Amino acid sequence: MRARIRSTLTEKLAALGIAATGALISMLPALDLFQGVDVDLLHAVREAVAPVHADPAESPVAVVAITPDTFTAPELDGIPRILWTDQMAQVQDRVLGAGGRVFGWDIIMQNSAASAMGEILDGRIDLEGSAEQALRRLDRDLLISMNRHGRGEGRVVLGMADLGHGLVAPHNGLARQAGGNANLRPVNAYTDPDGIVRGIGLYYRTADGGQVPSFALEVAARQSGADFAIEDDGSVTFRDRSIPVYRGGDGDVNLMVNFDTGPGAVPTYRFQDILTCDDADYLSAAFDGRAVLFGFVTDLEDRKLMSNRMVRPPDMSGAPDACDGSGVNAAAFARNTEAGVYLHAHAVANLLRGNPVALPGEGTRVAMVFLLALLGAGLAAVTKPYFAVAALGLSIIGYWAVCAVVFADGTVLPLVEPTAGAVVALAGMVAFRFITADQERARVRQTFSQYLDRKVIEAMIDSGDIPELGGENRQLTCFFSDIEAFSSISEKMGPPELVAFLNEYFEIIGVEIENHGGIIERFLGDAVCAVFGAPVRDENHAISAVRCALAIDRGLMAAQDRFDVPEGRKVRTRIGINTGDMTAGNVGAARRKTYTVMGDSVNLAARLESVNKQYGTLLMAGDETVRATGELFEWRHLDRVRVVGRDTPVDLFEPLGMKGDVDAERLALRDSYESALSLYQAGNFAAAESAFQILAESGDDASAKAVERCRRQKERDGSQPWKGVTDLTSK
């Protein structure tokens, strides 16, 4: 009885300690990104649990949008966009004449129509005098409108953007007529470290130490006629209320946007409809008293991933009928990216309604994380593991529902950190109970046997090269594999069929890795991470890894009849290989360890596996692997790139096979591809595209992907000099 009491007390104390540890782990500074993810999830959960949509008719903001069908409208079809200045003037005049309080330009007119015709006016093409005068009058109506409504009335705000490498601003003539710096405001969006846009700056610092209010803050102030103040501590007061803010990079003060995810939440009118509308009542109903933003709502221009990406409706859904009474067709499907003009529109609405996102205070955050972690540890301490998991799952669902209701007015309670803390605490407590119940299972041999072949363990013991806790730095080769199109295969299988398929697949992968001296470091769903050169040393680890990848590719092709996959699809796997310095070791607690590798070289191997998708290949290796293998293999040089999350460029290579085993036709294709690559890296994109196109037509997927890259490079703005390095924007 006394022993049982001591055991129970120990478990209670352990539960407290593990709960505290789980809470601290989930709140590590490296995981601060969770706060942004919380806001994204809350938009989605709120929509599912307690949707809150304002009446679009009461919206203080409207948008006039250039949409895909604007370009084919009868009034604009065939006219280059830069020559739409007369039409833009008409739309601005109609909006402000109908009672719009301010007209904000999220479109930046860097060039005037007249300057765009500079070659003609420079005398390269002779014109009659009247024609030349007509060209010089191309911007006249827009400049007059800007002078009247901007300089004269202060009802126009022009956007500008600082892209880090220079200012993008309206051309001087337009800016002067609009009132100069007084009516010019930054439209920069703040991108969080995870690449998601969740807010905008409320003001921006100038080079001389001054402060410029943001586009959204300026528009909101002019719509309401209210003042704002930038306080000494950097906070902002608007309409006598302190605005909830969060700090970004370099101490910037940002407003986190609370998106109304209802269809038509921001009434949006097509540019061409307003251009042709003479119905004063319609225009007054659309714009009277509102702030009106002018921007793009197209498939490609100015789109960003934002907090509403999980639940945003299709473009133009819920849009008001056109002036002539006809309906406006919404896009065929919802995109996860949002047009940039809506970021500013929702920000203006948040400021005017007083409901931007308010992140939790540090005390609230710590309390919620600890309470859920304590719940997780407590359940694991007093119940069986499966019951503890079920009870905690239901508790977390209930907590998320409460958070969604609280988020109705933009108030955030932490989601991910408390959930992670609870899961970590539960897992830690289950592990504690397991370890204290069976300490003998913590022996080194038993621990290693969970992830190493017995022969590898014995060889490691015989050599005395047993990994120590904490690891060591060694040059190794890491290998990541992933089944191509696995989601489309797995979604059509039931659980038994899926497990049988994966077992068959992993058997092929595992045998080849073992045969080539590697170990499987971990399974990640259908993915495999393997290491060559550790824990048993192998000086030829790079060669072994490449041979293994080629053998797996051949083995899968030969084993297609063993895979009972839907619709007779082929099972293929993408493999990324990289060689470099890595930290390898037996990491963990005294009684429970796992052998793992870490470091930038490991991360790059994982990136290369994914990059295969962008290059139409199945096997890919970094340049360090190629150097380490000498002259044993034939390679195709695919490109020189800068992968996401890494500043140093790396050359990508596709292994074709052992020297002497690759047929002449494939080598000839390789040589032609590399010749085209030389043109691409020299900046001759048109010639490279033509060369790659010929190869693509022969069925080479890598060349087809290269054609796409050539086209993207031809379309880039050219603000940065081309250095022969492709910047990859996705993992």
Side-chain angles (χ1 to χ4, degrees), residues 42 45-46 49-50 52 399-411:
L42 281 169
V45 177
R46 180 179 65 184
V49 175
V52 177
Y399 174 71
W400 280 42
V402 171
C403 291
V405 173
V406 172
F407 189 58
D409 65 351
T411 300

Side-chain angles (χ1 to χ4, degrees), residues 213-277:
S214 70
F215 178 80
L217 181 57
E218 188 69 47
V219 168
R222 297 195 189 188
Q223 191 277 346
S224 63
D227 293 330
F228 59 84
I230 301 172
E231 309 296 345
D232 292 341
D233 62 358
S235 63
V236 176
T237 301
F238 177 59
R239 302 175 84 175
D240 299 324
R241 291 194 303 263
S242 181
I243 301 172
V245 298
Y246 73 113
R247 301 280 172 174
D250 300 325
D252 294 333
V253 175
N254 299 287
L255 175 142
M256 187 171 283
V257 176
N258 182 4
F259 290 91
D260 187 333
T261 52
V266 177
T268 303
Y269 301 86
R270 296 181 302 185
F271 177 78
Q272 66 269 28
D273 292 337
I274 305 307
L275 177 64
T276 57
C277 183

Side-chain angles (χ1 to χ4, degrees), residues 362-378:
E362 197 63 23
T364 301
R365 177 186 170 215
V366 171
M368 299 312 298
V369 172
F370 181 75
L371 286 175
L372 257 71
L374 185 59
L375 176 64

Side-chain angles (χ1 to χ4, degrees), residues 62 111 114 248 260 378 422 509 568 586 605 635 638 640 715:
N111 299 305
D260 187 333
I509 297 284
N586 197 29
W635 300 90
L638 294 167
R640 183 171 177 79
E715 295 171 357

Side-chain angles (χ1 to χ4, degrees), residues 35-56:
Q35 287 199 336
V37 176
D38 283 346
V39 177
D40 305 346
L41 291 172
L42 281 169
H43 278 93
V45 177
R46 180 179 65 184
E47 188 67 19
V49 175
V52 177
H53 304 310
D55 183 356

